[in-house]
Amino acid sequence: MTSIIAVVSLLLLVAGGVHIALALGVIAVGLLTFNFNIPVVLVAQMAWDSVDKYALVCIPFFIFAGNLMSRGNLALVILDLVGTVIRWFRGGVALALAMSSVFFAAVNGSSVACAVALGPAAVKLLPAEGYPPRFAASLVAVCGTLGLMIPPSLTFILIGSIVGLPITDLFIAGIVPGLFEAFLLGLTTLIVSRINGYGRVGERPDWKGFGQRLPGAAGALMMPVIIIGTIYMGWFTPTEVSALAAVYAVVLVTMVYRTANLAAVWETARESVLQTVMIYGVLLGSGLLTAVLTRLGLSAELTAMLKEAQVSPFEFLLAVNLLLLVVGMFLDGVSMIVLLAPILFPMAHAVGVDLIHFAVIMTALVEVATLTPPVGLNLFVMSRITKMPLHAIVKGVLPFYGMRVVALLVINAFPALSLVLLK
């Protein structure tokens, strides 16, 4: 009964406009102090323990590196490079944007940051190439979701730190599903462009122009190689490579491309700290609430119920997918993870679902949530960038939902897609 009251109270606070971090903290502290009569000092220690983790150090560094690369306006450099060889067929420039999103996903680790990095360049370039502004904005919103799956994913960092899974393994597990999603995104982009006649058609691939632009783009293209390659080879931990990526980003935008000065670097660092504090605040509240759930025995009771009911992995995954699709309409990705991961992962383990595979499934569901109104963050980001009404962008995103459903079904049905690189 206490658990039900706590959950209802939490939902009421969030619905009333209270920030999720504050709502989590209020409910958790109230339960800990009044229901369990725990000293406030111990409550503070429990909160500190939830963020005092080595793996979480990489969050501010990856956020800073991604923000700096976005501020350096490198989207045009990558789009121009890729566009030289695929502008010759209909939908080629839009496909160049989809391909470029893989690069920014491997730099930002965030769907919103990826959309912000690509948005300003895309809404100028695509309409000039014969694509409707609504299509350009919608495509960027969808492209941005790859930042949650392709490492260095902040979603995987949060899941790993909350449930105790190796973040390196989660990063590696996201590579193949992320590339598969990128392939489906590119295919859908071409189909939509061809059906609607979007985009101009060039004469032939400009390989000479590609060769001329490649040296200038090489510095930016090396960033995902440094991040993913060193982690996969086992040379650096995610925390170590995050610091390396931050330093490399500073050198790149200040000395190589000279698109930002030291004042811009300082401002970017300030913005990154504010974003990190917001995430840490949610983690503090989540840590306290997890401690409450453990003391109440809620997770253990749910796990025991699953075992007694002999729920199959298929039935469990079907229920989780439906649950998170609904929850994703009202909560952002970070809130979904910190609220549900401590409960769902023990249950997944109890029914025999591989936890690494389950983390990839949960990340895919968070990707869908970023495109689902009324709280879809990527929709609001592109609405703000383009000054277009939200419903117009939602309408433009609709053709890509089929692609998202296919990707989600395949990721659920084939664990090997997530685990192949870990064997």
Side-chain angles (χ1 to χ4, degrees), residues 383-399:
S383 178
R384 188 179 72 245
I385 290 175
T386 61
K387 310 299 182 185
M388 294 174 60
L390 186 65
H391 65 83
I393 297 177
V394 172
K395 188 176 180 180
V397 166
L398 286 178

Side-chain angles (χ1 to χ4, degrees), residues 99-393:
M99 294 174 63
S100 300
S101 68
V102 176
F103 163 80
F104 282 97
V107 171
N108 286 300
S110 163
S111 65
V112 172
C114 194
V116 170
L118 291 168
V123 296
K124 292 179 181 178
L125 177 63
L126 264 64
E129 294 285 342
Y131 296 86
R134 185 180 70 185
F135 174 78
S138 304
L139 181 58
V140 173
V142 178
C143 287
T145 61
L146 294 178
L148 294 172
M149 184 66 73
I150 297 175
S153 164
L154 294 182
T155 303
F156 284 140
I157 295 171
L158 291 175
I159 291 175
S161 63
I162 290 172
V163 303
L165 292 174
I167 294 176
T168 299
D169 289 352
L170 293 175
F171 278 3
I172 295 173
I175 295 175
V176 175
L179 294 177
F180 173 69
E181 289 179 341
F183 168 76
L184 290 181
L185 173 60
L187 182 62
T188 307
T189 301
L190 288 178
I191 292 173
V192 172
S193 297
R194 287 178 179 272
I195 289 176
N196 295 283
Y198 293 159
R200 301 192 182 97
V201 179
E203 295 182 1
R204 65 187 65 176
D206 184 11
W207 291 107
K208 182 179 179 181
F210 180 85
Q212 292 173 344
R213 291 168 174 79
L214 183 58
L221 293 173
M222 281 300 296
M223 175 67 95
V225 175
I226 291 173
I227 295 174
I228 299 176
T230 55
I231 291 176
Y232 185 73
M233 296 299 293
W235 295 345
F236 295 108
T237 66
T239 301
E240 292 167 344
V241 82
S242 68
L244 177 62
V247 174
Y248 184 77
V250 172
V251 173
L252 209 59
V253 300
T254 58
M255 299 182 183
V256 178
Y257 295 104
R258 298 183 178 179
T259 53
N261 54 24
L262 292 179
V265 172
W266 174 257
E267 180 63 25
T268 303
R270 180 177 174 276
E271 294 172 358
S272 302
V273 168
L274 293 176
Q275 294 171 15
T276 303
V277 168
M278 182 186 69
I279 294 174
Y280 274 37
V282 177
L283 287 172
L284 281 170
S286 168
L288 287 174
L289 191 59
T290 301
V292 171
L293 294 175
T294 302
R295 287 180 173 270
L296 290 174
L298 177 61
S299 182
E301 289 178 8
L302 291 174
T303 300
M305 287 174 57
L306 286 177
K307 289 182 178 179
E308 290 177 6
Q310 296 182 340
V311 175
S312 69
F314 171 79
E315 293 170 334
F316 173 75
L317 290 178
L318 178 61
V320 168
N321 277 263
L322 294 175
L323 171 66
L324 266 65
L325 286 173
V326 174
V327 172
M329 297 174 63
F330 306 101
L331 293 178
D332 62 273
V334 173
S335 302
M336 287 172 60
I337 291 169
V338 299
L339 281 174
L340 298 175
I343 299 173
L344 294 179
F345 273 82
M347 296 169 67
H349 179 70
V351 299
V353 176
D354 184 275
L355 295 186
I356 298 292
H357 178 220
F358 188 66
V360 175
I361 292 173
M362 193 170 193
T363 300
L365 286 162
V366 173
E367 288 180 306
V368 176
T370 62
L371 299 173
T372 306
V375 183
L377 291 180
N378 281 23
L379 303 176
F380 283 96
V381 167
M382 292 313 301
S383 178
R384 188 179 72 245
I385 290 175
T386 61
K387 310 299 182 185
M388 294 174 60
L390 186 65
H391 65 83
I393 297 177

